[in-house]
């Protein structure tokens, strides 16, 4: 039976930029199973050399790669260039991380050697999101390949072209056939993949899909499941001296990537009466350029990924107003048939909005009377990905750090722009305690302990009948 076709379009123009078949999980799994033993036994030095060749290939193709990501996601070219740089940089970071966290250790005592080594799980599925279609799946793929796993990669159905481009770079780097297999499709194909005979699944995406995967995996505790999910991230501004710098940090936290980063600040928590900061945030928001990826001058932010995503955000915006929010800057859609949204700000003080992630350019402001109320508001979410404090002093940040329930807790820095050289993950509905980025090495391999001696040395010295 012929496979159905997937079509990927440029969100800014609606032009088709990629078409291809969906599905094919069983065939991809067979290819992966056939390749798995050989790749697991390939010496680490060879796997590292191929990963380095991939990084070189990504650098050599950097401009084409960045332009493709920009066309398929609508993100500005300046930003997709940084995504490509992160893809290449991930390789050396992952090599260091693997040596440090999943390397070999040993000691010897009385002729007995104690060894710790790691083995790959086997066949790992990687499910990617659309917002960083190269960098985020790459953050699972590179460490998983270094560890000796083979991969079934299902990219977001919104970004298949970027995934194919990345796979071609791996092929160019000399990755053997069957080691990285792409399966295209939407949620139904993702579900099939999760239910296939795989050894684990590495997921980056929304909390509701992550929760569905956790249910699917509940009866299979022997399979690794790493979940990197969304957030309803708070940014607290307290005792701020430099209002201009604070406003820039707020705007970057909230609106970078048109609000389509898991680490974007969704809620700005301020002391009641701190109107200078709000005015500065609004003034800067009014200056942000929203445009297409290749526009000159470059826009600060592009459209959201699709008309369906823009429709969903408009519904979420209506919900905030229905919950009593006071609009400070409206969520405007310049053209009904395109997903360009303006950055929006709404005062939700005293309201009880739903604790959902609005994955777009919407910032909620919450005014509180004192510091304890600020901490309570920051933690009033089922998520726990990123949190930030701007202003205050070291003692205030220490208190914020100690009381914040999140996997990333920043001070005087935006909530986004996480370092690949640090672990990245959240608690609550944001993750399942399998942090990614630098700690991805941990979930890509399992430790095997060995006691070994060159000759048998037997002898029971107690508890024997004469
Ligand atoms: P999504 O959850 O809709 O999709 C992610 C992937 O899962 C896609 O490949 C999709 O096809 C697949 N999928 C969808 N339904 C599925 C199902 N039932 N079973 C198996 N697979 C399924 O996410 P998205 O909209 O592509 O990305 C945005 C989301 O990702 C946001 O919630 C954002 O916060 C989150 N995100 C998290 C991180 C992180 O590292 N914590 C990083 C980036 C994005
Ligand atoms: C993301 O992974 O969505 C955001 C990464 C970051 O900018 O912190």
């Amino acid at each position: 039976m012929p496979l159905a076709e997937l079509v990927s379009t440029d969100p800014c123009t609606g032009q088709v930029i990629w078409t291809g078949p969906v599905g094919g999980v069983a065939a991809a799994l067979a290819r992966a199973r056939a390749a798995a033993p050989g790749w697991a036994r390939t010496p680490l030095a060879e796997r590292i050399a191929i990963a380095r060749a991939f990084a070189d290939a990504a650098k050599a193709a950097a401009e084409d790669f960045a332009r493709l990501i920009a066309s398929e996601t609508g993100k500005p070219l300046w930003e997709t260039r940084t995504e490509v740089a992160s893809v290449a940089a991930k390789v050396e970071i992952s090599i260091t991380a693997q040596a440090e966290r999943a390397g070999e250790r040993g000691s010897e005592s009385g002729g007995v050697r104690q060894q710790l080594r790691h083995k790959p799980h086997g066949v790992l599925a990687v499910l990617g999101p659309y917002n960083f279609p190269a960098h985020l799946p790459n953050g699972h793929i590179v460490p998983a390949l270094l560890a000796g796993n083979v991969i079934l990669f299902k990219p977001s159905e919104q970004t298949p072209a970027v995934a194919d481009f990345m796979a071609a770079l791996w092929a160019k780097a000399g990755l053997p056939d069957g080691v990285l297999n792409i399966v295209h499709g939407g949620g139904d194909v993702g579900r099939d993949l999760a239910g296939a005979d795989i050894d684990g699944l590495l997921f980056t995406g929304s909390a509701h899909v992550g929760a569905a995967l956790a249910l699917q995996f509940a009866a299979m505790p022997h399979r690794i499941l790493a979940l990197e999910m969304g957030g309803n991230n708070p940014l607290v501004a307290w005792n701020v001296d430099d209002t201009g710098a604070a406003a820039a940090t707020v705007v970057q936290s909230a609106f970078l990537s048109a609000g389509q980063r898991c680490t974007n600040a969704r809620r700005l928590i301020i002391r009641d009466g701190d109107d200078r900061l709000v005015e500065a945030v609004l003034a800067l928001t009014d200056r942000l350029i929203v445009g297409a990826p290749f526009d000159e001058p470059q826009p600060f932010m592009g459209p959201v990924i699709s008309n369906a995503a823009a429709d969903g955000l408009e519904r979420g915006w209506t919900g905030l107003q229905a919950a009593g929010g006071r609009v400070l800057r409206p969520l405007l859609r310049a053209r009904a048939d395109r997903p360009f949204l303006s950055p929006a700000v709404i005062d939700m003080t005293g309201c009880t909005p739903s604790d959902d992630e609005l994955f777009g350019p919407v910032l909620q402001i919450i005014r509180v009377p004192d510091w304890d109320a600020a901490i309570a508001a920051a933690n009033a979410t089922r998520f726990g990905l990123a949190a930030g404090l701007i202003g205050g002093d070291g003692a205030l940040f220490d208190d914020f750090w100690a009381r914040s329930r999140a996997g990333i807790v920043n001070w005087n820095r935006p909530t986004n722009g996480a370092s690949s050289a640090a672990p990245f993950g959240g608690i609550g509905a944001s993750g399942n305690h399998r942090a990614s980025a630098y700690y991805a090495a941990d979930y890509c391999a399992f430790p095997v302990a060995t006691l070994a001696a060159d000759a048998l040395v037997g002898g029971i010295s107690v508890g024997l009948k004469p």
Side-chain angles (χ1 to χ4, degrees), residues 36 43 145 156 163 229 244 293 299 330 375 424:
L145 290 178
S156 165
M229 302 180 283
I375 295 283
F424 185 84

Side-chain angles (χ1 to χ4, degrees), residues 127-131 136 154-157 185-187 190-191 203-207 209 212-213 228-231 262 357 359 385 424 430:
L127 296 182
Y130 66 78
N131 66 323
L136 290 173
K154 196 205 79 60
S156 165
E157 57 275 34
R191 232 183 342 262
F203 172 78
T204 304
S206 60
V209 174
L213 289 167
E228 317 301 330
M229 302 180 283
C262 55
E357 177 191 47
F359 204 59
L385 187 57
F424 185 84
S430 298

Side-chain angles (χ1 to χ4, degrees), residues 115-169:
Q115 282 180 297
L116 168 63
R117 287 174 289 177
H118 291 78
K119 285 188 181 178
H121 298 288
V123 177
L124 293 181
V126 171
L127 296 182
Y130 66 78
N131 66 323
F132 280 94
H135 170 52
L136 290 173
N138 188 60
H140 296 302
I141 291 169
V142 172
L145 290 178
L146 285 175
N149 300 284
V150 301
I151 309 285
L152 295 174
F153 170 31
K154 196 205 79 60
S156 165
E157 57 275 34
Q158 325 228 45
T159 53
V162 171
D164 278 5
F165 191 95
M166 209 155 62
L169 295 177

